[in-house]
Amino acid sequence: MTKYIFVVGGVMSGVGKGITTASIGRILKDQGYSVTAMKIDPYVNVDAGTMNPIEHGEVFVTDDGLECDQDVGNYERFLDTNITRDNYMTTGSIYLAVINKERNLEYGGKCVQVVPHIPEEVIERIEKVSAKTKADFVLIEIGGTAGEYENMLFLEAGRMLKLKKPGNVAFVMVSYLPVPSLLGEMKTKPTQHAVRTLNSAGIQPDIIIARSNSPLDEPRKEKISVFCNIPKENVISAPDVKSIYQIPINFEKDNFSTIILKKFKLKPRQRNGHDWIKAFSNTNYEQDVRIGIVGKYFSTGAFTLTDSYISVIEAIKHASYNQKRRPIIDWINAEKFEDDPSTLETLKDYDGLIIPGGFGARGIEGKIMAIKYLRENQIPFLGLCYGMQMAVVEFARNVVGLKDAHTTEINESTPYPVIHILPEQAEHLKNKNFGGSMRLGAYACNLVKSTKAHKAYKTENISERHRHRYEFNNEYKDQFIKAGLIFSGINLEKNLAEIIELKNHPFFVATQFHPELKSKPLNPHPLFQLFITSAIQKKEA
Ligand code: GLN
């Protein structure tokens, strides 16, 4: 019988509910149970694809091409698994499904109502995931915090599921305990209020995770226990940590997995968290590797940036930790190179640079200048999606000699459209069909032997995830090859260039796909691995 754990927020958002859910999954997995995780986003957007990254943070893409919340990425990373579109829903996707069913007469002439039909649709999806994955545990993270109008119907679904499956549903509340600077004391009152609010939705949490900047002391555990009506051992301390990968390890200091198993009257199967503990109990390595990410940045602070590029950052960490290095990651604004080209010299201070994905014109010439500098100065470079397209434009202009070459995304009348739109994509844009219409999800890629790509992956057939509308224009391929560019990865079905690289360079590799989306802490991505190896070599040279 599947066990369902709902993870809900209290007090405030942004305290790491996604990472908490992922960490719960990890510790249950390490007790020998199979786990899957679902995310519910209360917004009306059908998926995350149409949202601006500054608004939303990174848009994560699954193998089956869903554009979703970055938390799905956290689940994949912590659970070391790939998740499908079944595991994600939004208010918009639920309503859309219910309305479509109604239009198809699937409610048999009944009056279709918000309650019970909306929560029932939610429950149907949760049960579908349980049936499909046959997981022992299905974790369901409900976005937002208790008391918000937006997520009420999802809480209602949780309450109804508990009624339907007595003994098989638990609720975990992730709360926050502030330490007001004037008092210097951790306060439990907001948590007490949050529990009351959740109670008013008919839900009593079974476990409370107390997020704070420091560990929870005994008196406060006691207080939360008494006032929130839960056993003291079910109050889990979750202080801020240096690395998110230490959270599962921290949870186990409070015997968290045992508490969950006890709640469901289950026994540990085999303890096998050793790899995780070995890899992440101390990532504070003495030696570092310095990586710069060149992008178009907004003056909204490092937090937004970290949020928008989370998979890239995590992929850098995975490969660095694996090679016993502490990564130092810097944000470099591409526009500064446009304003003052002499600042390109600062790129020398890095062991390796990444130009990540992106859209639009801002900062693009700066990125092209940076790529030229990295190419000419033998500095390790990894280009991701837009980063690859810019590498193609740079090579076209400065090596092949195609003056004013560009991507048609930015300049439709360029004399040399070296990056152009895919025909089916032009059709989508013409019809204003913007949602979920990019080239999305996993596509096969064939690697050419004796290339860096092949050296990294050690296999010829790979599959990687995509999210873009533009592609390398094959009309220029022969010219590029003659000028020394290597097309080391090709999608054979459509003859699309997926990886480009240079020979006489320590590491100059760029991909049309997003390798960062598939990197896992216990299984770092092969391209990031080789990139970090080259960066370390540069540092040591
Ligand atoms: N803007 C580019 C395209 O649509 C690249 C997209 C990306 O980097 N994800 O093709």
Side-chain angles (χ1 to χ4, degrees):
M1 188 75 158
T2 310
K3 310 295 175 198
Y4 301 87
I5 302 176
F6 286 87
V7 180
V8 303
V11 179
M12 64 187 210
S13 65
V15 294
K17 209 154 21 95
I19 302 277
T20 301
T21 307
S23 300
I24 295 174
R26 184 72 234 172
I27 58 176
L28 290 170
K29 207 173 163 176
D30 289 339
Q31 289 275 24
Y33 286 87
S34 60
V35 183
T36 190
M38 302 177 70
K39 172 82 197 261
I40 299 178
D41 271 326
Y43 43 68
V44 180
N45 304 58
V46 173
D47 58 37
T50 53
M51 261 180 283
N52 171 333
I54 296 300
E55 179 90 16
H56 179 270
E58 175 186 86
V59 175
F60 193 75
V61 182
T62 57
D63 264 349
D64 60 358
L66 171 75
E67 296 170 288
C68 55
D69 187 78
Q70 52 177 280
D71 279 327
V72 175
N74 287 323
Y75 306 160
E76 287 202 346
R77 288 186 278 268
F78 277 73
L79 294 173
D80 205 13
T81 186
N82 291 337
I83 278 174
T84 68
R85 61 172 63 237
D86 298 329
N87 288 40
Y88 186 68
M89 63 182 112
T90 67
T91 295
S93 74
I94 294 291
Y95 271 85
L96 191 64
V98 170
I99 291 169
N100 283 335
K101 278 186 186 172
E102 184 275 323
R103 292 288 84 184
N104 297 336
L105 264 183
E106 285 176 47
Y107 291 102
K110 268 204 209 125
C111 171
V112 183
Q113 293 179 292
V114 170
V115 181
H117 295 106
I118 296 295
E120 274 175 11
E121 175 71 25
V122 175
I123 290 174
E124 201 179 304
R125 298 222 187 165
I126 295 171
E127 290 185 317
K128 181 176 164 199
V129 167
S130 152
K132 248 179 126 168
T133 60
K134 301 197 169 56
D136 299 315
F137 283 94
V138 178
L139 311 182
I140 307 116
E141 178 193 348
I142 302 181
T145 34
E148 274 165 26
Y149 183 76
E150 275 201 320
N151 61 16
M152 237 144 65
L153 290 166
F154 298 111
L155 294 176
E156 186 71 355
R159 187 188 64 75
M160 284 162 62
L161 189 68
K162 185 171 178 181
L163 205 63
K164 194 171 167 186
K165 300 181 183 293
N168 294 307
V169 176
F171 288 90
V172 173
M173 176 186 258
V174 182
S175 193
Y176 183 73
L177 283 84
V179 185
S181 59
L182 282 178
L183 299 176
E185 185 194 325
M186 198 184 276
K187 304 304 284 180
T188 64
K189 190 71 84 197
T191 299
Q192 297 176 37
H193 283 299
V195 170
R196 295 274 146 88
T197 309
L198 194 60
N199 288 162
S200 71
I203 294 168
Q204 166 63 31
D206 300 281
I207 292 163
I208 292 178
I209 298 180
R211 286 279 299 113
S212 192
N213 48 22
S214 52
L216 202 60
D217 58 12
E218 283 306 305
R220 259 147 281 256
K221 265 197 182 178
E222 191 88 54
K223 219 170 177 178
I224 293 177
S225 161
V226 172
F227 288 105
C228 301
N229 203 20
I230 68 167
K232 197 170 130 196
E233 67 266 23
N234 289 15
V235 183
I236 309 291
S237 170
D240 292 346
V241 283
K242 281 230 167 64
S243 155
I244 52 169
Y245 300 118
Q246 282 163 5
I247 294 171
I249 301 170
N250 256 9
F251 276 174
E252 287 303 57
K253 288 185 187 150
D254 273 357
N255 302 312
F256 194 5
S257 63
T258 315
I259 290 164
I260 297 172
L261 295 183
K262 209 171 108 192
K263 160 91 202 139
F264 290 113
K265 302 189 174 63
L266 297 170
K267 290 201 163 52
R269 288 184 178 155
Q270 86 260 6
R271 280 259 186 191
N272 61 357
H274 309 307
D275 288 352
W276 192 273
I277 294 169
K278 212 170 90 194
F280 305 114
S281 56
N282 182 15
T283 47
N284 206 6
Y285 297 107
E286 205 173 297
Q287 305 212 63
D288 58 39
V289 58
R290 208 183 175 85
I291 305 298
I293 304 180
V294 182
K296 91 172 156 186
Y297 295 135
F298 304 83
S299 52
T300 37
F303 183 74
T304 311
L305 295 178
T306 317
D307 232 37
S308 306
Y309 296 99
I310 178 164
S311 292
V312 177
I313 295 166
E314 296 310 313
I316 295 170
K317 287 189 201 164
H318 304 159
S320 304
Y321 292 160
N322 185 269
Q323 297 178 51
K324 304 264 176 287
R325 296 285 167 143
R326 186 167 39 85
I328 297 174
I329 301 171
D330 272 351
W331 307 104
I332 304 164
N333 190 346
E335 284 168 292
K336 106 176 165 192
F337 303 134
E338 298 168 9
D339 298 340
D340 178 5
S342 75
T343 55
L344 283 164
E345 290 292 324
T346 57
L347 293 173
K348 276 213 171 95
D349 302 338
Y350 294 92
D351 305 320
L353 288 114
I354 291 180
I355 302 202
F359 295 83
R362 203 150 68 79
I364 205 164
E365 291 302 326
K367 288 184 196 175
I368 294 169
M369 291 163 82
I371 295 170
K372 177 167 186 276
Y373 188 89
L374 300 174
R375 180 174 56 75
E376 290 175 344
N377 290 281
Q378 304 274 307
I379 300 171
F381 159 71
L382 177 62
L384 309 172
C385 203
Y386 213 24
M388 171 208 157
Q389 297 176 357
M390 291 310 105
V392 165
V393 171
E394 190 279 318
F395 195 83
R397 291 182 189 174
N398 301 321
V399 182
V400 189
L402 307 175
K403 197 171 166 285
D404 296 326
H406 221 320
T407 162
T408 55
E409 178 176 349
I410 305 304
N411 178 2
E412 274 195 69
S413 51
T414 166
Y416 305 107
V418 287
I419 301 289
H420 66 166
I421 196 157
L422 285 157
E424 62 269 31
Q425 289 298 330
E427 198 62 22
H428 287 317
L429 293 189
K430 205 176 98 204
N431 300 329
K432 294 202 177 350
N433 174 19
F434 299 122
S437 66
M438 285 188 228
R439 183 171 179 239
L440 288 171
Y443 285 90
C445 173
N446 228 270
L447 301 184
V448 178
K449 280 194 180 151
S450 322
T451 58
K452 287 206 179 68
H454 187 261
K455 184 178 163 200
Y457 285 94
K458 301 182 181 72
T459 172
E460 265 168 72
N461 298 305
I462 60 162
S463 163
E464 290 283 2
R465 296 182 192 169
H466 294 249
R467 183 173 188 253
H468 56 107
R469 297 193 197 274
Y470 295 81
E471 287 287 346
F472 176 74
N473 183 347
N474 280 329
E475 273 181 39
Y476 295 92
K477 196 164 175 181
D478 291 342
Q479 266 175 287
F480 273 68
I481 292 173
K482 268 192 212 120
L485 194 76
I486 299 166
F487 292 84
S488 51
I490 302 288
N491 171 279
L492 294 178
E493 195 196 338
K494 290 205 163 159
N495 188 25
L496 300 172
E498 308 283 41
I499 312 179
I500 57 162
E501 58 182 79
L502 287 178
K503 217 188 203 120
N504 299 317
H505 191 287
F507 189 94
F508 189 102
V509 179
T511 62
Q512 183 55 80
F513 50 79
H514 289 277
E516 70 273 19
L517 298 176
K518 281 181 70 171
S519 186
K520 309 279 197 296
L522 291 177
N523 283 301
H525 192 282
L527 280 180
F528 277 84
Q529 284 276 56
L530 195 57
F531 168 66
I532 293 294
T533 306
S534 311
I536 294 171
Q537 274 162 6
K538 172 188 179 270
K539 191 185 179 87
E540 280 166 4

